[in-house]
């Protein structure tokens, strides 16, 4: 059974000002990479957007009203970093639906990959760093609503701390949040996850991979999660425009392979999102994100 790939063309359909730093095309380019590297037609799953009621399971009604009606004050809106548009809202609701779907498919199939997601800087009533609503949190919430006795591990290896996820689940014992991130990276005021590991500027492959492996093994042993939500951000890459770490392409593959393999060995369903990755050179960025797909092929022979 091939690993389900969750994708919607809307992910890259967002008009942004020229030279905006967000690489909005990466989603469709990664989809094209997968198609060129043997993805089967039956592997693709297209999510339908969630509604605001579902968003309200994790976010404050007044924040939702500000988002939906473009009524947020300028300063709060500027933190998010995208210009407001109907297109942005629809894309956001579709992407959150994608992560929810990915979690559900992972529970059914063992592993699933979302070609978007990882909007981990979205808090209960404010957004920042390109994140309006927290798809990881919404996915965890959807699983808990269906299976209240589940334990979920959100394992976030994006170079930026998953601060929104941490605050949203600060008082939820069924969800364990772990963030392994650059100490000198955004957000500069860090939140408190269940486990935070800060890495110094310039961290290279060996130290990084050992840290990730050690953390994941310890968390699996301690928490025995029923599901892992994995943020496979590639802004750890040494070529990244926003990250301060120095991880090679092989290092990215080794991280993703190690995480997926360990989850499979332990029979823990794993839902991955591609997370952050910021480079003007899109071919290089796609190569970095493609390591997650290569890892899935290796581990699941999908
Ligand atoms: Zn990031």
């Amino acid at each position: 059974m091939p690993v389900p790939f969750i994708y919607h063309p809307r992910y890259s359909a967002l008009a942004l000002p020229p030279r905006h730093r967000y690489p909005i095309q990466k989603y469709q380019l990664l989809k094209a990479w997968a198609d060129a590297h043997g993805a089967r037609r039956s592997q693709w799953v297209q999510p339908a957007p969630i509604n605001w009621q579902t968003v309200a399971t994790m976010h404050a009604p007044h924040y939702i009203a500000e988002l939906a009606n473009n009524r947020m004050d300028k300063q709060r809106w500027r933190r998010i970093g995208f210009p407001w548009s109907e297109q942005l809202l629809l894309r956001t609701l579709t992407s959150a639906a994608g992560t929810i779907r990915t979690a559900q498919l992972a529970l059914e199939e063992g592993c699933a990959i979302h070609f978007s997601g990882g909007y981990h800087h979205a808090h209960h009533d404010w957004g920042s760093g390109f994140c309006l609503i927290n798809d990881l949190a919404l996915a965890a919430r959807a699983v808990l609503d269906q299976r209240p006795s589940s334990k979920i591990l959100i394992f976030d290896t994006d170079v930026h701390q998953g601060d929104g996820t941490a605050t949203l689940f600060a008082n939820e014992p069924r969800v364990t949040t772990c963030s392994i991130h650059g100490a000198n990276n955004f957000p500069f005021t860090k939140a408190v996850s269940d486990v935070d590991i800060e890495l110094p500027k310039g961290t290279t492959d060996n130290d990084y991979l050992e840290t990730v492996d050690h953390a994941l093994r310890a968390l699996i042993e301690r928490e025995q999660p029923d599901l892992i939500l994995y943020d496979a951000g590639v802004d750890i890459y040494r070529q990244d425009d926003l990250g301060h770490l120095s991880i090679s392409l092989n290092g990215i593959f080794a991280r993703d392979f190690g995480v997926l393999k360990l989850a499979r060995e332990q029979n823990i369903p794993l839902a991955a999102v591609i997370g952050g990755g910021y480079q003007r050179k899109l071919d290089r960025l796609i190569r970095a994100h493609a390591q997650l797909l290569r890892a899935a092929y290796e581990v699941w022979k999908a």
Side-chain angles (χ1 to χ4, degrees):
M1 185 71 192
V3 171
F5 286 167
I6 294 79
Y7 172 78
H8 199 294
R10 219 170 258 155
Y11 296 164
S12 283
L14 178 63
L16 291 174
R19 302 292 295 164
H20 193 280
R21 92 147 59 240
Y22 199 85
I24 196 71
Q25 288 157 295
K26 75 178 185 179
Y27 308 97
Q28 65 185 27
L29 293 172
L30 187 63
K31 154 87 163 67
W33 188 97
D35 281 331
H37 290 79
R40 298 176 219 174
R41 198 185 278 258
S42 62
Q43 230 166 325
W44 296 106
V45 175
Q46 192 165 295
I50 53 170
N51 55 31
W52 292 111
Q53 228 172 332
T54 303
V55 178
T57 60
M58 289 311 300
H59 293 281
H62 72 269
Y63 175 57
I64 291 172
E66 286 177 333
L67 281 177
N69 305 308
N70 192 15
R71 282 206 319 249
M72 201 176 300
D73 80 58
K74 273 207 178 95
Q75 212 180 342
R76 274 165 64 76
W77 186 255
R78 211 176 299 124
R79 287 185 95 157
I80 290 174
F82 285 133
W84 188 93
S85 65
E86 292 284 353
Q87 208 181 21
L88 172 66
L89 298 185
L90 187 57
R91 175 188 185 277
T92 299
L93 296 172
T94 308
S95 177
T99 301
I100 294 171
R101 195 74 195 280
T102 305
Q104 286 160 346
L105 285 166
L107 288 166
E108 290 164 23
E109 311 286 345
C111 182
I113 294 178
H114 189 201
F115 282 49
S116 176
Y119 295 95
H120 57 177
H121 303 307
H123 295 250
H124 183 61
D125 62 357
W126 56 282
S128 76
F130 308 129
C131 305
L132 287 74
I133 61 176
N134 195 313
D135 59 303
L136 293 163
L138 288 161
R141 170 61 55 206
V143 170
L144 289 176
D145 286 347
Q146 280 175 353
R147 307 172 182 222
S149 60
S150 304
K151 292 187 84 179
I152 299 170
L153 169 62
I154 301 181
F155 192 67
D156 189 336
T157 62
D158 189 283
V159 84
H160 305 102
Q161 192 203 29
D163 58 338
T165 321
T167 59
L168 283 164
F169 289 125
N171 298 310
E172 174 52 81
R174 292 171 295 176
V175 178
T176 301
T177 54
C178 172
S179 179
I180 303 176
H181 52 263
N184 303 101
N185 277 106
F186 178 91
F188 302 107
T189 306
K190 304 282 193 282
V192 181
S193 316
D194 293 305
V195 175
D196 283 300
I197 300 175
E198 300 215 313
L199 300 165
K201 231 175 201 175
T203 296
T204 50
D205 289 7
N206 284 350
D207 287 347
Y208 180 74
L209 293 169
E210 203 177 303
T211 302
V212 170
D213 183 67
H214 187 261
L216 185 56
R217 279 177 198 280
L219 281 161
I220 287 175
E221 193 176 306
R222 196 180 79 197
E223 305 295 336
Q224 307 202 328
D226 303 296
L227 172 69
I228 297 172
L229 297 180
Y230 173 44
D231 185 333
V234 297
D235 36 19
I236 57 164
Y237 193 25
R238 64 177 166 223
Q239 309 271 23
D240 195 85
D241 294 338
L242 298 186
H244 292 312
L245 305 188
S246 196
I247 308 304
S248 72
L249 204 59
N250 287 337
I252 294 172
F253 174 78
R255 176 196 66 176
D256 294 343
F257 179 78
V259 170
L260 267 60
K261 186 160 178 282
L262 188 57
R264 183 165 194 191
E265 280 169 3
Q266 304 275 331
N267 277 317
I268 304 167
L270 180 139
V273 301
I274 65 168
Y278 305 89
Q279 285 186 56
R280 300 263 183 227
K281 289 202 170 161
L282 287 171
D283 54 337
R284 221 162 51 186
L285 178 58
I286 298 313
R287 226 166 23 238
H289 279 301
Q291 301 311 308
L292 175 64
L293 309 182
R294 287 189 54 221
Y297 287 126
E298 284 295 318
V299 173
W300 288 86
K301 306 293 174 212

